[in-house]
Amino acid sequence: MFTEKCDELCGYAAAIAAALSYGSFGVPVKSEVAKRLDVDPLVMQSYKSIMCFLCCWLIIPMGEPVRFTPWGIVSGIFWVPGGVAGIYGIRNAGLAVAVGTWSSIIVLSSFFWGIFVFQEKVKSISGACGAVATLIIGLLGMSFFSRPPKKTQDIEKVETEISAGVDSGANDDDGIRKRLLPPSPEKDAVRGKIKKIPKARHAPKEQPPRSGNRTVLAPSSASLTPIEVEFLLNKTSSTGGISSLDLDISEKKNLITFFNGNITMTKRQVGMLAAAFNGGWGGINLVPLHFASREGFGGPGYVISFACGSMIVTISIWVLRYIYELHRLDGDFTKAFHALPSFHIRQMWLQGALSGFLYSLGNFMS
């Protein structure tokens, strides 16, 4: 077999290739096509499982025999649900945050299983623990400082730009708002703090010009009623202003409730929890390989078992999801089938195949 001819340099090259592949398979998940179609995480994981299944047979020309062990199904039970959660984490928490979160947990869990469960020999346990702790701190720090700024900071920036535009009279709307609003409540109105404007039955009367002051009188047809003023303040302005109503709707869309509304979290927080689940659960998908090695499986010889087991688990999850939709739709088989998420094959085949191939390459090289 070709693995017997692989020396230490070959091993390091394979490790580097595995790291690059594992770190890149999530890039297609963040593609514009995937975001526009809002592809279900189970669909994206299915692409990965299919590519893993198709690529596993490439080891046959390399001299590996076709063998299967049920431990591959156990690996699939860990990998497939963890992969679904990991994709959700990438979509909602970001690639850097999600990968950094689950990588630190994978390092910790792999170290625990290897050193304390399987009693693998190391030169210094304390030194290895210190190295793992340093790596985890670095990954967590990368995840923390990679998070986007808070929404309030973005809103304040937009408000500053709006205020600058109002002060300069950059466009017609800004000029109208400058003429309509006095200097003191102007910023409060832009920030949406003025909720209601008292109704007026008649348009304001024209004031006679004062001596020493220049007063521009607008014709009566151009005078704005309070309803029009309120519409102008609440509507998104041409400079990018955001109304308080739009902010409330946007914030509500970003929230997820659990247990009948008793627990409320943002999508980013749920995405980070999903990434943590991928690290804790999905990160031990190669632990069964330790037990399979007693049956003569190891390295590339385990790839076929892993791929076939993962495909079995993926199909089982689809069946369970169909049963759930069937229960939700009162036993209507047709509606339950159409309620399943679409694969978007025409638009997503390339991104899905690329993601699955990169993971399969990393899995083989590791």
Side-chain angles (χ1 to χ4, degrees):
M1 292 182 293
F2 79 99
T3 52
E4 297 176 354
K5 302 178 182 179
C6 187
D7 55 7
E8 184 177 358
L9 182 61
C10 177
Y12 279 113
I16 294 174
L20 293 176
S21 300
Y22 276 139
S24 304
F25 81 88
V27 174
V29 179
K30 292 286 290 184
S31 63
E32 292 296 329
V33 178
K35 288 191 291 186
R36 185 178 71 252
L37 297 175
D38 194 20
V39 181
D40 191 275
L42 180 58
V43 171
M44 206 68 193
Q45 175 59 36
S46 299
Y47 277 113
K48 289 169 55 183
S49 299
I50 292 171
M51 285 303 300
C52 189
F53 178 76
L54 295 177
C55 294
C56 74
W57 310 105
L58 296 177
I59 68 170
I60 297 177
M62 299 178 184
E64 292 290 340
V66 179
R67 295 190 302 165
F68 178 79
T69 173
W71 287 110
I73 299 177
V74 179
S75 291
I77 293 174
F78 289 114
W79 178 58
V80 176
V84 174
I87 293 170
Y88 183 88
I90 292 175
R91 292 280 298 277
N92 292 277
L95 183 63
V97 174
V99 175
T101 300
W102 78 53
S103 296
S104 59
I105 297 177
I106 287 176
V107 170
L108 182 61
S109 62
S110 299
F111 180 80
F112 174 81
W113 279 90
I115 301 300
F116 299 105
V117 178
F118 298 143
Q119 299 295 320
E120 295 177 353
K121 302 298 181 181
V122 293
K123 183 177 181 180
S124 172
I125 294 181
S126 59
C129 291
V132 170
T134 303
L135 179 60
I136 291 175
I137 292 173
L139 291 172
L140 291 177
M142 180 192 69
S143 299
F144 178 80
F145 290 105
S146 297
R147 66 180 182 179
K150 294 182 179 179
K151 187 177 292 186
T152 54
Q153 297 177 0
D154 297 336
I155 295 172
E156 291 177 357
K157 182 179 179 182
V158 173
E159 291 172 352
T160 303
E161 294 175 356
I162 295 173
S163 301
V166 170
D167 293 336
S168 61
N171 51 46
D172 294 337
D173 289 342
D174 291 337
I176 293 172
R177 295 169 79 169
K178 182 177 180 181
R179 291 192 297 271
L180 288 174
L181 301 176
S184 56
E186 187 175 32
K187 295 182 180 180
D188 292 341
V190 174
R191 297 185 181 185
K193 293 183 179 179
I194 296 180
K195 300 300 181 180
K196 296 182 180 179
I197 298 179
K199 295 183 179 180
R201 297 183 179 180
H202 304 285
K205 297 181 180 179
E206 297 179 355
Q207 299 294 333
R210 300 179 180 177
S211 59
N213 295 329
R214 183 172 61 87
T215 303
V216 179
L217 298 178
S220 59
S221 59
S223 61
L224 299 177
T225 64
I227 296 178
E228 291 173 336
V229 175
E230 187 174 2
F231 174 79
L232 178 63
L233 296 179
N234 288 336
K235 185 176 177 61
T236 303
S237 68
S238 58
T239 58
I242 303 173
S243 68
S244 58
L245 179 60
D246 293 336
L247 291 177
D248 292 339
I249 296 175
S250 176
E251 290 174 357
K252 288 180 180 179
K253 287 183 178 180
N254 194 41
L255 297 178
I256 300 177
T257 58
F258 301 95
F259 304 106
N260 296 325
N262 294 324
I263 299 178
T264 302
M265 303 178 68
T266 63
K267 288 184 177 180
R268 185 176 183 274
Q269 291 172 338
V270 178
M272 294 181 67
L273 288 179
F277 174 79
N278 183 33
W281 181 265
I284 58 176
N285 65 81
L286 291 181
V287 170
L289 176 60
H290 175 84
F291 302 99
S293 62
R294 300 174 183 176
E295 303 174 5
F297 291 87
Y302 189 68
V303 171
I304 293 179
S305 299
F306 180 89
C308 293
S310 300
M311 200 66 205
I312 292 172
V313 175
T314 302
I315 295 174
S316 301
I317 293 178
W318 275 104
V319 172
L320 292 175
R321 184 156 182 174
Y322 178 75
I323 293 174
Y324 166 76
E325 296 293 347
L326 194 63
H327 172 74
R328 187 175 64 89
L329 298 172
D330 299 327
D332 193 318
F333 292 93
T334 303
K335 290 183 179 180
F337 176 77
H338 289 292
L340 294 175
S342 174
F343 272 72
H344 303 286
I345 297 177
R346 292 183 179 180
Q347 298 92 343
M348 283 299 302
W349 70 269
L350 179 60
Q351 288 81 359
L354 181 60
S355 178
F357 174 76
L358 289 173
Y359 185 89
S360 300
L361 181 61
N363 192 35
F364 174 78
M365 290 297 180
S366 63

